[in-house]
Amino acid sequence: MSESYNKQFNKPHTTFSQQVDRLVQRGLIVKDIEKAKKQLEIIGYYRLSSYFFFLEEKNNDNSRSHKFKKDATFDDAIRLYVFDQKLRLLVMEAIERIEVALRSSWAHKMSECYGSHPHIPSFTVYD
């Protein structure tokens, strides 16, 4: 069994109110507490935490300080999250168009070379 399965994890459960409180204690400006709690409930603290990274001050060694820049807001993190979500959807749409075009081109070439049903093997059965 892997060593990671034997590791003890001891982070306590936190409520959405406690999560917002932690962010505020670290210097994040939260204008609407109830809205922030609802967004944490929907998105999740740890999923959203990767967007907090861009709003944090860095330590001298460039590591995370977990302290927010003086004007950083919860809404800034949400805007980054929504931007990333929209960008991801645009990229997926573009990939889907490329996939369909390649598949169509491939199918056309296959039928040109091997007939209308190139996916069906033409086996000869010997007696």
Side-chain angles (χ1 to χ4, degrees):
M1 193 184 244
S2 163
E3 184 180 315
S4 64
Y5 290 111
N6 296 327
K7 185 176 181 181
Q8 292 294 320
F9 298 98
N10 57 4
K11 280 192 174 187
H13 170 80
T14 55
T15 65
F16 298 116
S17 293
Q18 290 169 322
Q19 292 171 8
V20 171
D21 289 345
R22 176 175 291 141
L23 295 169
V24 170
Q25 288 168 0
R26 293 176 175 176
L28 190 65
I29 298 166
V30 180
K31 296 175 184 169
D32 186 337
I33 301 289
E34 291 305 312
K35 182 179 172 186
K37 288 192 303 190
K38 193 64 171 170
Q39 288 172 319
L40 287 169
E41 184 179 341
I42 293 167
I43 300 168
Y45 181 89
Y46 288 101
R47 181 171 181 91
L48 198 55
S49 70
S50 61
Y51 301 94
F52 295 144
F53 176 79
F54 300 102
L55 305 173
E56 292 178 3
E57 297 173 349
K58 305 283 185 286
N59 289 323
N60 291 336
D61 64 355
N62 210 28
S63 63
R64 293 182 79 171
S65 69
H66 297 286
K67 302 235 186 271
F68 290 98
K69 296 174 184 174
K70 72 174 191 149
D71 294 330
T73 68
F74 189 84
D75 290 338
D76 292 336
I78 295 298
R79 277 191 286 278
L80 286 170
Y81 173 78
V82 170
F83 170 79
D84 186 50
Q85 183 181 46
K86 288 181 179 181
L87 179 62
R88 189 169 44 257
L89 290 173
L90 286 171
V91 169
M92 290 302 293
E93 182 182 341
I95 290 171
E96 190 254 349
R97 287 180 182 183
I98 292 167
E99 176 202 354
V100 169
L102 287 172
R103 199 171 349 126
S104 175
S105 177
W106 176 78
H108 182 77
K109 191 64 173 173
M110 290 292 289
S111 68
E112 178 184 347
C113 294
Y114 302 106
S116 63
H117 293 81
H119 60 286
I120 300 174
S122 55
F123 292 111
T124 304
V125 179
Y126 297 101
D127 290 323

